[in-house]
Amino acid sequence: MPVSDPAAAPGAPAEGAASHAPAFRPGLEGVPATQSAICDIDGRQGHLTYRGYDAAILAAQSTFLETAYLLIWGELPTALQLRDFEHEVQMHRRVSFRIRDMMKSFPAQGHPMDALQASAASLGLFYSRRALDNPEYIYGAVVRLLAKIPTMVAAFQLIRKGQDPIQPRDDLPYAANFLYMLTEREPDPLAARIFDACLIIHAEHSLNASTFSARVTASTLTDPYAVVASAVGTLAGPLHGGANEDVLAMLEAIGSEDQVAPWLDRAIAERQKIMGFGHREYKVKDPRAVILQRLAEQLFDRFGHDPLYDLARKVEEVAASRLGPKGIYPNVDFYSGLVYRKLGIPRDLFTPIFAIARTAGWLAHWKEQLGANRIFRPSQIYTGAVPREWTPLEAR
Ligand code: SDX
């Protein structure tokens, strides 16, 4: 049998034939990487739907757990289904003392997103059985992750202050219980309701970087704790969820309304990214930024105004003439920090809170990926050296 010519291998283009390889798109812009029925974004009209329901309506009418159920199972729950789901989540809120002890060994100055990524991954040590074709296993993993992620975020907050984490309160709903575990005080009902609405609007956003990461990890058929841990690590970056922290730092650096225009002009001239602005999908203002502004204003009416909000609105107004023509407007991260700040939440917990909410979306994508799985394994365009001779060490 003759030695085969690699150039003549099946699938290789014949000599002289044009290559039909798809064009390289940095950041996979515009490249569909999956099919999904979970969420739809109309980036020209500024409209967001979860399973066909307007996210703004869900933020006003639903609860985070009901929305999570909708995202993950595709339909709104009946009253009985919701009651059972809420009960199950409530029953699984506690985390093992071993995980709390592990968190006590984390450096107090470490970022809470790193603590969360490590803690989420550690759940796999306790619940490692992989029965991905068993609906009860899927249900149990969904419940555990939704229940335990907020407890772990709150636990690290207390641990790094030198305190012991407090136990969840079974009589409090999801959002109120998280605020309670964080502050050791039962929250005002309006504050809890607004926080729950924040969780709803952060719960899902199609194939963003962290969800893509979750789907890639899911496609290897690993366990759901590894899926969520990989997504948490991806969300942490300043181009993604981490931007909400940086927005407040930017507003403080600008300092006053008369500094907005010169500050923005300098930043744009230096080709800096304005934090909380721009989006791959939206060419108009992110509809979630509009909702967050309304939520912030409700909080200010009740608990007092925040002058940083006036500064933020001035930044939005001045940026409109500089960045608006390029389709760059405020995204979800621009106003969320102002809401959390008014709720008394420390700045470096803004992104972990995003992760609490987005766990619902990651789990919905995990389940959807398992339903029609094929491992992600894209190709690349090789740009390295042509084959070359090995040079022995003494000859280099
Ligand atoms: C989230 O994908 C999602 O859905 C994410 C998210 C979710 O819910 O999961 O919505 C959450 O991650 C919100 C985004 C948070 N990040 C930031 O706020 C950081 C600042 N924004 C960006 O860096 C940027 O807009 C991204 C990362 C959000 C989007 O990046 P793209 O689509 O890759 O765009 P790009 O960086 O290639 O920019 C295209 C052009 C460039 O100009 P030119 O070189 O073409 O002249 O737009 C400019 C950029 O310089 N540009 C900005 C800008 N964002 C884009 N210029 C100034 N400030 C900005 N913020």
Side-chain angles (χ1 to χ4, degrees):
M1 208 161 135
V3 177
S4 65
D5 173 2
E15 205 177 323
S19 162
H20 295 294
F24 170 50
R25 308 291 297 266
L28 297 183
E29 180 169 3
V31 177
T34 193
Q35 292 185 317
S36 180
I38 301 170
C39 161
D40 193 34
I41 299 168
D42 180 340
R44 305 242 154 244
Q45 301 297 320
H47 197 228
L48 171 64
T49 55
Y50 296 167
R51 300 281 188 186
Y53 294 98
D54 187 337
I57 303 282
L58 292 169
Q61 305 292 338
S62 182
T63 63
F64 173 67
L65 281 185
E66 184 184 48
T67 299
Y69 187 104
L70 168 72
L71 288 167
I72 297 165
W73 280 284
E75 295 296 337
L76 286 168
T78 63
L80 188 62
Q81 286 168 331
L82 182 59
R83 201 197 60 196
D84 286 352
F85 185 54
E86 287 172 344
H87 180 68
E88 288 288 329
V89 170
Q90 177 215 306
M91 299 286 288
H92 285 86
R93 282 174 182 166
R94 285 171 176 70
V95 296
S96 160
F97 74 92
R98 291 168 197 269
I99 293 183
R100 295 201 304 272
D101 285 353
M102 176 190 79
M103 294 174 89
K104 286 179 187 164
S105 67
F106 292 167
Q109 68 280 11
H111 197 284
M113 278 301 268
D114 295 326
L116 179 61
Q117 189 184 20
S119 319
S122 78
L123 290 173
L125 294 162
F126 294 87
Y127 312 104
S128 65
R129 194 172 62 94
R130 277 179 218 143
L132 299 178
D133 49 0
N134 179 350
E136 279 173 29
Y137 173 83
I138 304 278
Y139 189 86
V142 163
V143 160
R144 256 189 222 113
L145 278 156
L146 287 171
K148 294 183 194 304
I149 294 278
T151 308
M152 294 190 301
V153 172
F156 185 65
Q157 170 61 10
L158 294 193
I159 288 169
R160 68 178 175 168
K161 288 197 295 180
Q163 296 166 232
D164 269 332
I166 55 171
Q167 292 296 345
R169 276 255 310 264
D170 288 346
D171 59 319
L172 291 178
Y174 194 85
N177 174 61
F178 172 71
L179 293 174
Y180 164 74
M181 289 189 298
L182 204 60
T183 59
E184 301 175 87
R185 280 194 320 273
E186 193 172 324
D188 176 276
L190 177 75
R193 171 65 202 137
I194 286 178
F195 185 71
D196 199 52
C198 289
L199 295 181
I200 293 171
I201 56 172
H202 283 85
E204 161 61 8
H205 212 235
S206 80
L207 215 57
N208 58 83
S210 56
T211 301
F212 187 40
S213 188
R215 280 194 90 122
V216 171
T217 309
S219 80
T220 70
L221 302 184
T222 186
D223 69 66
Y225 310 102
V227 169
V228 168
S230 74
V232 170
T234 309
L235 184 69
L239 293 186
H240 194 8
N244 56 11
E245 232 185 283
D246 294 339
V247 168
L248 288 194
M250 176 182 81
L251 294 175
E252 285 168 357
I254 294 173
S256 60
E257 290 189 32
D258 60 328
Q259 285 305 308
V260 169
W263 194 96
L264 278 179
D265 286 338
R266 192 177 57 250
I268 292 167
E270 290 170 359
R271 301 190 65 77
Q272 285 180 38
K273 292 280 160 59
I274 312 304
M275 287 294 144
F277 274 78
H279 202 280
R280 182 68 66 77
E281 295 289 310
Y282 293 114
K283 297 307 157 211
V284 294
K285 184 171 174 179
D286 187 328
R288 299 167 298 173
V290 178
I291 298 171
L292 281 160
Q293 271 185 278
R294 276 205 296 270
L295 297 175
E297 284 165 10
Q298 283 177 46
L299 279 177
F300 301 150
D301 286 347
R302 175 69 167 272
F303 301 108
H305 194 66
D306 182 347
L308 270 195
Y309 180 62
D310 301 326
L311 196 53
R313 289 182 50 194
K314 183 76 182 172
V315 169
E316 178 179 350
E317 180 199 314
V318 174
S321 59
R322 274 99 170 145
L323 298 172
K326 290 177 78 176
I328 298 168
Y329 290 97
N331 62 45
V332 67
D333 283 334
F334 192 60
Y335 288 107
S336 63
L338 288 161
V339 174
Y340 300 146
R341 178 173 136 105
K342 197 69 209 172
L343 291 171
I345 294 171
R347 197 171 295 184
D348 60 2
L349 291 189
F350 295 174
T351 318
I353 286 168
F354 195 153
I356 292 174
R358 189 53 61 84
T359 298
W362 294 330
L363 290 169
H365 283 268
W366 168 60
K367 188 167 166 293
E368 187 174 64
Q369 182 66 34
L370 294 180
N373 191 51
R374 191 165 186 216
I375 192 166
F376 279 95
R377 204 318 179 180
S379 58
Q380 63 166 18
I381 296 167
Y382 177 65
T383 60
V386 295
R388 45 188 169 159
E389 294 298 320
W390 162 254
T391 314
L393 189 56
E394 58 280 8
R396 280 178 239 154

